[in-house]
Amino acid sequence: MQWHKQSLLSVRCWRALEVLGAGVIGLGLLTPGKAPAEVSPTETFFEMRIRPVLAEQCQQCHAKGDAAAESTFHVESRTGLVTEGKQGPIVKPGKPKASHLIDLLRNGHGKIDLPWNSSRQSQITRDFTRWIREGAQWPSSPSQPSQSSSGEKLGPEWAFEPVEKVTPPDEASEWANNPIDQFVRSKQREHGLKPVQNAEKRTLIRRAYFDLTGLPPSPEAVEEFVNDSSPDAFDKVIDRLLASPRYGERWGRHWLDLARYADTSGDASDTPVPEARLYRNYVIDAFNQDIPYDQFIIEQIAGDRLAFKRSPQRWREQIIATGFVALSRQFGNRAYADRHMIIQNTLDTIGKSMLGMTLACARCHDHKFDPISNEDYYGLYGYFDSTRYPHAGTEHTPARTNFVPLTQDDEVFQKFLQWDDKRFKLTKKLKGGDGDREKIKEKLKALEKERPEVDLAWAVIDKPGETGNSRLQKSGNPHNKGKKIRRGFIERITSGPADIPEGQSGRLQLARWIASPENPLTARVMVNRIWQYHFGKGIVPTSSTFGAQGKKPSHPDLLDWLARRFIKEDWSIKAMHRLIMQSKTYQLSSKAAHPRARETDPNNKWYWHYDRRRLEAEPIRDAILAVSGTLDRSRPGPYPFP
């Protein structure tokens, strides 16, 4: 997230990177590395596009044990599709043209009733064709309760259990700088491992600079640290970096990736949104100011509800913060044509970024792996169905509408909303050819002169007069609705409906539930992310998937200890940086000099040395520009769209 005047890479610059690289920094700038494992795109595609159709459209007749299915095939497993059937397998992995299932989906048979319309039927056929062509992969079932290597029982729902109060092991305290080292050293002892020596000071300061700012230290900063023999020399480096404006740019970028930030609205039109930069700046400033993480969550989901209570200091920032929700992917070429998909994207992003859960898997049916029901999904859906999203304009609906005016003046605020609504309706009529085009144009021209002068934010507010519970959508079909589902939470964590004031969306209540110390997911997920960005891998390697399909934590007691410490220290991200970076575990050399240890733990699961890591594209180019003196460190304005 650094700003630049030029971006040309020369052979000489790449040679400079080698000098800046692994041998000096302790980071493998130009060498291969492993990204943290996540649920694969293939599994996500199957759960979102394939399993719902099999479950809702096929399983009623082709379930295992059903009389008809026994003579044809069943759809509850891959085996049932690739080995059974009157005339052989109905699916031939890798060969969609030879798979009879594609013919059935394309042409229909018997009682098959593909949902929605012919366009949807074509999409389903394309999805299954792709799935079969890629090998008809079928994710494995949830794992049975397993044990971590230290003997702790970790079942598939471990992340939903309360955060344990644990004590650092005393027997490992002689090596430790802080409790992190006690947990890590205890695990090393269990596996017969010893840590390597500490990193050299020149390596350590470069590691810290790239971690916290994404930039290399100046030669002067390196020499100052090398010559500082005081016991708190590294602490002073950490504090200086955390106070740098570059820190918020570096760590704000990590969050913006999770928030799927872009300066355009996405999908077919991909319309420019110059106002999106306000959310980008909000995130950077929030990290620099060390806004408590629970407050950071609440402001992004429901900052407008706080602002309208007239927060005297932060009302503007709190409205802008809801850009997190406004950034939800816009679908189709007409305003809000696929609103249910916009809301799905919102829930999917909240689930993965804040809760480490794939909530969108429960849109069509109960989650197949985690304790999240179809009703849980629509209990969450109601909060955002009661929310007004902005629209940046598309080919068929060109008017920009539903941006949020940045004003505390109620009269101006309401006046703008009314003006915006009139303009949007007139533009829609003009585009649809409904009425006299010349008269509509004249009205639009006159209306433009009446526009209230006010700044706008790419943000959300409650839908005026349209808040409430939403109906369940059968099989995820917005045209086939079931009963109303009261807005609530994930029942496995908190049962019962939310206490929502009349006429409100309830997003504030949802945000407070997510940010509650009693929510077992939120603190665990965030401390794991901070750890991941410092070490290159999380204690839970699948940092956005804490469910049954994700990986178990390597150090579950350490994870819970960190989560409780995070909450105790007022959800301070900077305090967590200091704690991690002051540990001996963080300060180890990346030279894996113990041959036997490399055989015992080749992937360094037990942190007996510091992992060599690849540096991302931005720090590579920024390092080049920084050492050449051409890095522009000023904050940019709107993206320069043509």
Side-chain angles (χ1 to χ4, degrees):
M1 186 58 69
Q2 309 296 333
W3 324 125
H4 54 90
K5 292 178 180 174
Q6 63 185 49
S7 60
L8 296 177
L9 300 180
S10 66
V11 174
R12 183 174 298 173
C13 288
W14 282 107
R15 181 69 189 96
L17 275 180
E18 292 181 20
V19 177
L20 286 168
V24 179
I25 305 172
L27 300 174
L29 295 186
L30 304 177
T31 56
K34 292 182 179 179
E38 289 287 356
V39 174
S40 72
T42 301
E43 291 184 22
T44 301
F45 181 79
F46 177 85
E47 294 298 340
M48 299 297 294
R49 311 293 279 273
I50 303 300
R51 194 193 292 272
V53 177
L54 293 175
E56 303 298 337
Q57 300 299 323
C58 308
Q59 195 167 314
Q60 55 187 323
C61 297
H62 293 278
K64 192 171 184 178
D66 184 272
E70 288 175 359
S71 61
T72 55
F73 60 90
H74 73 86
V75 298
E76 295 171 307
S77 70
R78 187 177 189 272
T79 302
L81 292 170
V82 303
T83 65
E84 301 174 1
K86 284 182 178 179
Q87 300 173 339
I90 194 170
V91 168
K92 295 185 178 180
K95 300 178 180 179
K97 290 183 179 179
S99 298
H100 184 44
L101 180 59
I102 298 301
D103 294 331
L104 296 179
L105 291 170
R106 183 179 289 118
N107 303 317
H109 88 105
K111 298 178 181 179
I112 195 166
D113 180 24
L114 289 170
W116 306 340
N117 51 45
S118 59
S119 173
R120 181 61 180 147
Q121 179 175 342
S122 298
Q123 182 62 54
I124 289 174
T125 304
R126 288 195 297 271
D127 289 343
F128 273 80
T129 299
R130 169 185 163 183
W131 176 62
I132 294 171
R133 184 173 58 248
E134 295 177 355
Q137 298 298 316
W138 192 292
S140 59
S141 299
S143 58
Q144 294 300 313
S146 59
Q147 284 191 325
S148 71
S149 57
S150 62
E152 305 100 323
K153 288 189 176 180
L154 294 173
E157 297 181 12
W158 68 269
F160 289 89
E161 298 299 329
V163 177
E164 295 289 341
K165 185 176 183 179
V166 290
T167 303
D170 289 333
E171 71 275 10
S173 60
E174 82 289 345
W175 175 77
N177 269 2
N178 65 28
I180 289 175
D181 297 326
Q182 292 175 249
F183 286 107
V184 171
R185 184 71 189 105
S186 178
K187 289 286 190 180
Q188 291 170 357
R189 280 183 167 177
E190 287 179 22
H191 295 84
L193 297 167
K194 291 183 178 180
V196 299
Q197 72 278 11
N198 286 353
E200 297 177 353
K201 293 186 79 171
R202 292 180 186 276
T203 298
L204 187 59
I205 190 173
R206 290 181 178 278
R207 182 183 299 169
Y209 264 76
F210 275 108
D211 266 10
L212 292 182
T213 69
L215 292 169
S218 67
E220 294 78 15
V222 173
E223 293 306 316
E224 180 183 350
F225 177 58
V226 168
N227 295 323
D228 187 347
S229 58
S230 63
D232 64 344
F234 191 53
D235 294 349
K236 288 185 285 188
V237 170
I238 295 171
D239 288 342
R240 184 166 66 249
L241 294 177
L242 291 176
S244 167
R246 308 287 84 80
Y247 162 75
E249 294 167 359
R250 172 65 165 159
W251 280 76
R253 175 269 167 108
H254 293 319
W255 184 262
L256 291 169
D257 283 350
L258 297 172
R260 62 332 194 190
Y261 175 80
D263 289 289
T264 57
S265 62
D267 211 59
S269 295
D270 205 27
T271 309
V273 186
E275 295 84 356
R277 79 185 191 283
L278 300 178
Y279 173 73
R280 176 201 68 198
N281 294 346
Y282 160 82
V283 171
I284 293 170
D285 292 341
F287 274 92
N288 276 333
Q289 296 165 16
D290 199 22
I291 298 296
Y293 181 64
D294 57 343
Q295 180 182 337
F296 186 58
I297 287 175
I298 292 170
E299 289 183 350
Q300 289 179 92
I301 295 175
D304 58 306
R305 297 305 317 171
L306 299 175
F308 294 147
K309 291 183 176 181
R310 297 299 177 260
S311 175
Q313 303 298 326
R314 293 183 53 80
W315 70 269
R316 183 183 174 92
E317 289 85 355
Q318 288 168 342
I319 291 175
I320 291 169
T322 65
F324 177 87
V325 178
L327 281 165
S328 298
R329 182 181 170 191
Q330 302 281 320
F331 293 81
N333 220 338
R334 289 181 173 81
Y336 314 116
D338 290 305
R339 181 177 171 81
H340 65 292
M341 295 300 292
I342 297 174
I343 296 173
Q344 175 188 294
N345 186 256
T346 302
L347 293 176
D348 190 45
T349 304
I350 289 174
K352 290 176 180 176
S353 65
M354 298 177 181
L355 300 173
M357 286 289 147
T358 52
L359 299 180
C361 289
R363 181 172 71 90
C364 303
H365 49 72
D366 291 348
H367 202 295
K368 294 297 181 183
F369 301 107
D370 298 324
I372 303 170
S373 70
N374 196 209
E375 291 197 7
D376 283 341
Y377 179 87
Y378 286 99
L380 299 172
Y381 184 98
Y383 298 114
F384 299 98
D385 201 22
S386 300
T387 297
R388 198 193 74 162
Y389 288 79
H391 173 69
T394 62
E395 182 182 355
H396 293 296
T397 318
R400 287 160 45 95
T401 190
N402 288 344
F403 285 63
V404 178
L406 289 171
T407 177
Q408 286 186 294
D409 188 318
D410 281 334
E411 185 177 346
V412 174
F413 190 94
Q414 295 302 326
K415 187 177 180 180
F416 180 85
L417 295 189
Q418 293 165 9
W419 175 88
D420 188 46
D421 186 55
K422 289 179 184 177
R423 186 179 57 90
F424 180 71
K425 288 177 179 176
L426 282 172
T427 307
K428 202 171 180 181
K429 286 178 70 175
L430 183 65
K431 189 68 180 177
D434 183 13
D436 188 318
R437 291 180 60 84
E438 292 304 318
K439 286 185 178 180
I440 295 174
K441 286 181 181 180
E442 288 177 10
K443 288 182 180 180
L444 276 170
K445 192 174 181 179
L447 194 62
E448 284 298 327
K449 297 178 181 178
E450 300 174 12
R451 182 192 187 279
E453 289 302 317
V454 61
D455 292 335
L456 300 177
W458 182 247
V460 301
I461 59 173
D462 288 356
K463 286 170 72 175
E466 297 183 53
T467 57
N469 300 321
S470 297
R471 294 189 180 277
L472 184 146
Q473 297 171 9
K474 297 179 180 179
S475 305
N477 180 357
H479 305 296
N480 185 11
K481 295 185 177 179
K483 64 180 180 180
K484 277 194 173 183
I485 305 297
R486 291 190 66 177
R487 284 162 289 174
F489 311 117
I490 298 175
E491 190 171 359
R492 174 65 172 77
I493 298 173
T494 306
S495 60
D499 184 14
I500 301 170
E502 186 69 26
Q504 293 185 18
S505 66
R507 280 181 289 110
L508 183 57
Q509 287 68 38
L510 172 65
R512 285 173 173 161
W513 173 78
I514 292 174
S516 168
E518 304 304 316
N519 189 316
L521 298 171
T522 309
R524 279 177 173 144
V525 169
M526 190 55 183
V527 297
N528 188 69
R529 289 197 190 282
I530 298 170
W531 184 279
Q532 171 192 343
Y533 292 130
H534 279 304
F535 288 95
K537 62 190 177 190
I539 296 171
V540 179
T542 49
S543 53
S544 294
T545 309
F546 275 42
Q549 289 182 285
K551 304 288 186 181
K552 301 295 191 297
S554 59
H555 298 68
D557 288 347
L558 173 57
L559 181 66
D560 278 9
W561 185 87
L562 288 171
R564 292 180 73 91
R565 178 70 173 258
F566 188 42
I567 295 168
K568 183 180 179 180
E569 295 194 341
D570 297 324
W571 303 79
S572 168
I573 294 173
K574 288 190 177 182
M576 189 56 54
H577 289 308
R578 290 189 184 93
L579 183 67
I580 290 173
M581 296 176 72
Q582 288 169 347
S583 71
K584 277 193 175 179
T585 305
Y586 177 81
Q587 297 176 26
L588 290 175
S589 170
S590 60
K591 296 177 181 178
H594 299 166
R596 184 177 297 177
R598 290 202 300 269
E599 293 178 8
T600 302
D601 183 21
N603 294 321
N604 194 31
K605 182 177 182 179
W606 308 119
Y607 297 97
W608 54 277
H609 66 90
Y610 190 83
D611 282 329
R612 290 166 64 90
R613 293 165 53 199
R614 298 182 72 173
L615 208 58
E616 310 99 307
E618 290 93 337
I620 290 176
R621 64 177 306 285
D622 289 343
I624 294 169
L625 298 175
V627 298
S628 67
T630 57
L631 183 67
D632 184 354
R633 300 172 193 245
S634 61
R635 178 170 288 184
Y639 189 87
F641 293 105

